[in-house]
Amino acid sequence: MYRNDEEKLIDIILGEAVLALLKSDAAINNAALIRQLQAMAAVEKSAARHRACKQAILDVRNNIKSGSNRYTHEIRDMDNVTHLFTSEGPPDGTKKH
């Protein structure tokens, strides 16, 4: 649940940016997402949507920084199925299953 309309708009903007990348058959990664958000912000006429673009860019950048402490371990089993284990656990106060 969103705390306010601004957070909802940021998520909408992020979704629009990802859809634009998908439609243009571009790579989906943090750098491409930031470039798309910057392009959207540059042509945005609505002040609220412009702020949401800028906040979305900050959110993606902050996610990149917080991701530097993560690691992923890949294990392939006997059936040639790959299992990925990350250093991330479930959010605090939640169960694993």
Side-chain angles (χ1 to χ4, degrees):
M1 194 155 187
Y2 299 105
R3 287 177 281 188
N4 58 42
D5 289 338
E6 186 177 331
E7 286 181 350
K8 186 174 183 178
L9 183 56
I10 292 167
D11 283 351
I12 290 169
I13 295 289
L14 279 167
E16 290 174 1
V18 170
L19 284 174
L21 291 172
L22 288 170
K23 286 180 181 178
S24 66
D25 202 28
I28 307 295
N29 56 43
N30 288 324
L33 184 57
I34 290 171
R35 281 192 305 273
Q36 180 63 37
L37 289 164
Q38 288 170 334
M40 291 169 62
V43 298
E44 188 57 60
K45 292 180 179 19
S46 163
R49 286 181 59 90
H50 182 78
R51 281 192 308 273
C53 287
K54 293 297 187 180
Q55 185 58 50
I57 292 167
L58 290 174
D59 289 352
V60 172
R61 286 184 176 149
N62 288 337
N63 186 46
I64 293 170
K65 289 177 187 173
S66 70
S68 62
N69 295 332
R70 297 181 203 160
Y71 64 89
T72 301
H73 187 73
E74 184 175 310
I75 297 175
R76 191 172 302 272
D77 68 13
M78 292 165 49
D79 295 324
N80 205 27
V81 175
T82 302
H83 302 273
L84 298 176
F85 297 91
T86 66
S87 60
E88 298 176 340
D92 292 337
T94 62
K95 295 181 181 180
K96 290 183 180 179
H97 301 282

